[in-house]
Every structure is written in structure tokens, then in C-alpha cells.
Amino acid sequence: MNIEGNIAIVCITENGKKLALNIQSLISNSHVYVVSNKQNKLQIECETKNIFLVKEKLSVLTKKLFKEYQYILFIMATGIVVRVIAPYIVSKFNDPAIMVTDEKGKNVISLLSGHMGGANEMTNFISNLINANPVITTATDVNKKSALDLIAKELDAHIDDFRDNVKDVNSMLVNNQEVGIYIDGKYDVDTRGFKILESLENIENIEKIVVITNKKDFLNNYINEHKRLDIDKRHLEEKIIKVIPKDLVIGIGCRRNTDSELLKESLYDLLEKYNIDIKSIKEIGSIDIKHDEKAIIDLSKSLSIPFKTISANEISKVDYLFEKSEFVKKNVGVYCVSEPVAYILSKGNLIIEKHKYKGITISVGRVSK
């Protein structure tokens, strides 16, 4: 398992401390917090960057940990943990993953943020490390079925009306109601419990259909490609829940002091030509000399998409693969920008070659999911 983020391990007894230190030795980027008070009188040999002796109340420590960690493992009674985390719980989209284990390490419980926070995955991981029994109670997992929020997390995807759609689909799955799934592209997701659809024909009895696609106008595109003019478009639209993976990267080259609105309009034009949903963009990028280019920064902010820069040295290693420009070489030190940037950001999967606009070039790559 590739652990993204960090984990805090909290203990309040001597046996708990021993278990915490054992787990910490097995997981990189993990920190142990030994809570010492007048009753337990816990000590540690010496504080390190990974092991801390805490003399404040558990509730005070917990408040801090909620803000700083993606995962928190409490080694203590579940009742204590429930009471201590209660004031800080917000939602499954904000809360860290909370796990609990007894001080003997017999059971590891996924307590909070099982899917979105990753508590279920981490519970299984830690259980395997210490030979414990994983306790997972989310209904879809118990029934050995996938879940819409889990698919969204796997794909880093956008879903409109996320809460309501996740609630409806997951409820249908655990109650053995038929939910269709149509995968438009090469996406490897857990489809357990879903009815996999090869087409959108003969689906009158299916109430909900999850469609994984990065197309802006998926349905019209589907109808045109399959020459299905007899499809009741409105009826089908009501069934579809669109899952839009954030798997596209945009490479941008532009002249200095390019107009922000012109760059935005150029990108929108490209997306329209290729029927790409703007919500599928994972990041935009350019050469490092453009790190302060206002138009690109404005675009990044307006779309709430990260802006990454690639060094000229890194670009020079692959720019020979694409059409060369002596003008670009003279100005920025490499033969081209947008294509190698999209190529690098997508790890070699360029799907749309550069399109030229007024002093602007734009290319698109796709990150494997």
C-alpha cells in the first residue's frame, strides 16, 4: 500500500506505548504521541522527530491532530475515542481517517471516514502488519460491493450533487437493487455490485446508471457514435450519474504578457472542439520561465486547478519528439513547450497535439487511472 499523507499514533498506557512504537517502526511517515499524566506516569527514553511525550489533555491533543494528520490511530478503548473526537467531527469530506485498536493489537477498527478518508484501507494495512483482526462496518464493504464514493476517490473524480448521489447509489447497492455502470474509456475501477453495461440499450428497468467519462456532452456523443436516434434522451439523462475523472493535463506555451481572457478563451475553444469536460482537468503546466506569467496564474486560480512548471532542462530531453521552433528556442531555450509539458505531466501519454492560437499553444495529456 502506498500511504499518502501521514499518520499519528496515540497511546495512553504502557502496553499501548509498546504497540505504538512497534507500528511506528513498520510505517514510514508515522508519528507516535505518548500521552503522559499523573495516573499513567508514562515516559519515553528521548523525544525524536517521530516520537513525542505529551503532557496536555487527550482532548487538546486530538484537536491539533485533526488539523495536521490524514490518519489517526488511537490505541485505547473505543468509548474514549468516540468522546474525544466528537467535538471535532465535521464530515466525511473533511475529517481525517480514524482508527482504533486495543492495546494488545487484537482488533483494528475503522471508526471514521472509511471510504473518503481511507480508514478502511489503512485498517486493513495495519491489521496485516501486526496480525490483527480488521473491523470494518461500512455496508458496501460488508456486502463485498463497491461504492460510488470509493470509485470517485479511486479516479479523483467529480460528481455533481455528490452527497445525494453517493447516498442513493450506495443504498441501492446494499439493498440489492440494480445499478448500471458504463465505462467510457480505459478506467480500472472496482465494479462489484454494479451491472456492467456494454451499451445503453435495453436499460429500461435500471433506475440509475453511473457513467465514467471525461466528455462534456457524453450522451449526444454516444447517440451520434452509435447512430441511435431512437434513444429517449431525456429519460436516459434522468438515469445517468456522471463521474468525471480528473485525468487530463494541459500543457501551455505563450508569449510574455499574454492576455488572461485570451488564454482562457483559447482553452475553452480547445475543450469544445474535443468535447472535454473542464472538470476533468487535473493540472495545467508550462516551462519554468513562465512561473510568473499572469495569464496562466489567472487561469489556474479561476479554474481552481494547480499550475506546475517544468524546467527547461527536463523539457530539452524530450522536445526533439515534437515539431521544432527556432523562435521558441531563442526565447526560452527549448524548441517547444506545450507538447513536451503535457507529455511530461502525463508520463508520456500525449493525446492532443498542440493547437495554435494567437501567441498561444495548448496540448493535452492523459494520466493513467
Side-chain angles (χ1 to χ4, degrees):
M1 172 182 172
N2 179 26
I3 300 171
E4 297 178 357
N6 46 14
I7 176 170
I9 306 169
V10 186
C11 57
I12 58 173
T13 66
E14 190 63 43
N15 284 332
K17 183 180 77 171
K18 291 177 183 177
L19 179 59
L21 294 175
N22 179 40
I23 295 173
Q24 191 274 326
S25 70
L26 300 172
I27 302 178
S28 59
N29 202 23
S30 58
H31 299 156
V32 170
Y33 291 86
V34 179
V35 181
S36 178
N37 54 44
K38 292 180 181 179
Q39 286 73 40
N40 63 29
K41 299 178 182 178
L42 292 178
Q43 298 293 325
I44 57 176
E45 290 184 10
C46 63
E47 285 199 71
T48 69
K49 64 178 182 179
N50 295 322
I51 304 169
F52 308 95
L53 186 69
V54 180
K55 295 190 176 181
E56 58 191 4
K57 289 185 177 180
L58 180 61
S59 58
V60 175
L61 172 64
T62 300
K63 184 178 181 179
K64 294 178 181 177
L65 299 182
F66 254 62
K67 297 177 181 178
E68 297 175 6
Y69 287 86
Q70 184 175 349
Y71 307 96
I72 307 174
L73 171 65
F74 289 92
I75 304 178
M76 60 195 72
T78 305
I80 297 173
V81 178
V82 170
R83 291 185 179 90
V84 80
I85 68 173
Y88 314 116
I89 295 174
V90 177
S91 77
K92 65 164 71 176
F93 309 101
N94 303 98
D95 300 329
I98 303 295
M99 292 79 60
V100 184
T101 185
D102 56 279
E103 63 177 37
K104 292 293 186 179
K106 291 183 178 180
N107 301 288
V108 181
I109 303 170
S110 174
L111 188 65
L112 191 69
S113 296
H115 285 164
M116 296 304 293
N120 291 354
E121 189 178 16
M122 182 61 83
T123 292
N124 282 319
F125 178 68
I126 293 174
S127 296
N128 287 331
L129 288 179
I130 63 174
N131 196 29
N133 175 46
V135 180
I136 296 172
T137 59
T138 42
T140 49
D141 293 271
V142 170
N143 287 282
K144 296 183 178 180
K145 294 182 178 181
S146 184
L148 185 56
D149 51 341
L150 197 56
I151 289 175
K153 184 182 178 184
E154 285 181 57
L155 298 176
D156 186 24
H158 171 87
I159 301 175
D160 288 338
D161 302 319
F162 188 96
R163 295 168 189 263
D164 290 340
N165 281 321
V166 165
K167 181 180 177 181
D168 290 346
V169 168
N170 289 358
S171 177
M172 292 176 70
L173 289 171
V174 298
N175 286 294
N176 299 315
Q177 294 174 265
E178 203 165 60
V179 180
I181 186 166
Y182 182 87
I183 303 175
D184 179 35
K186 295 180 180 179
Y187 298 104
D188 184 16
V189 295
D190 183 358
T191 57
R192 290 175 303 160
F194 288 91
K195 178 179 176 62
I196 300 173
L197 303 176
E198 299 296 333
S199 73
L200 297 181
E201 299 177 39
N202 304 316
I203 43 82
E204 289 76 15
N205 296 325
I206 302 178
E207 184 180 342
K208 296 286 184 183
I209 300 172
V210 172
V211 173
I212 300 175
T213 182
N214 59 25
K215 292 185 175 71
K216 180 182 179 182
D217 189 352
F218 162 77
L219 199 47
N220 274 333
N221 181 265
Y222 178 89
I223 292 170
N224 291 334
E225 281 190 352
H226 295 78
K227 297 180 172 57
R228 289 304 308 271
L229 301 177
D230 57 330
I231 287 180
D232 186 341
K233 182 181 173 184
R234 175 177 288 185
H235 181 60
L236 191 52
E237 277 181 330
E238 292 174 353
K239 294 173 178 277
I240 287 176
I241 297 171
K242 203 165 119 178
V243 177
I244 308 166
K246 291 184 183 294
D247 62 348
L248 299 184
V249 292
I250 308 294
I252 298 173
C254 64
R255 291 177 182 168
R256 179 60 71 184
N257 298 321
T258 290
D259 180 73
S260 294
E261 197 59 33
L262 176 61
L263 178 59
K264 189 173 183 179
E265 289 173 1
S266 300
L267 175 61
Y268 275 66
D269 178 77
L270 181 77
L271 298 180
E272 189 67 29
K273 282 181 180 177
Y274 287 90
N275 192 20
I276 294 173
D277 196 309
I278 199 166
K279 298 184 186 77
S280 66
I281 300 177
K282 179 182 178 66
E283 57 197 18
I284 59 178
S286 190
I287 190 169
D288 54 3
I289 198 173
K290 294 291 182 181
H291 73 279
D292 59 350
E293 187 66 47
K294 184 177 183 299
I296 305 179
I297 293 171
D298 288 346
L299 181 65
S300 170
K301 289 180 178 178
S302 68
L303 300 179
S304 298
I305 296 170
F307 170 33
K308 291 194 174 181
T309 58
I310 308 295
S311 71
N313 181 57
E314 193 172 354
I315 290 174
S316 69
K317 295 175 183 178
V318 298
D319 65 353
Y320 69 92
L321 296 170
F322 312 102
E323 181 185 356
K324 295 181 179 181
S325 167
E326 293 295 339
F327 175 80
V328 175
K329 175 72 171 178
K330 181 180 178 181
N331 281 273
V332 297
V334 294
Y335 284 109
C336 48
V337 174
S338 69
E339 286 174 313
V341 166
Y343 180 87
I344 291 167
L345 290 177
S346 63
K347 293 181 170 55
N349 190 22
L350 186 72
I351 62 170
I352 299 177
E353 296 179 352
K354 71 178 173 186
H355 279 53
K356 298 178 182 180
Y357 295 90
K358 189 177 180 181
I360 296 168
T361 57
I362 302 176
S363 305
V364 182
R366 181 175 181 269
V367 179
S368 297
K369 290 288 185 182

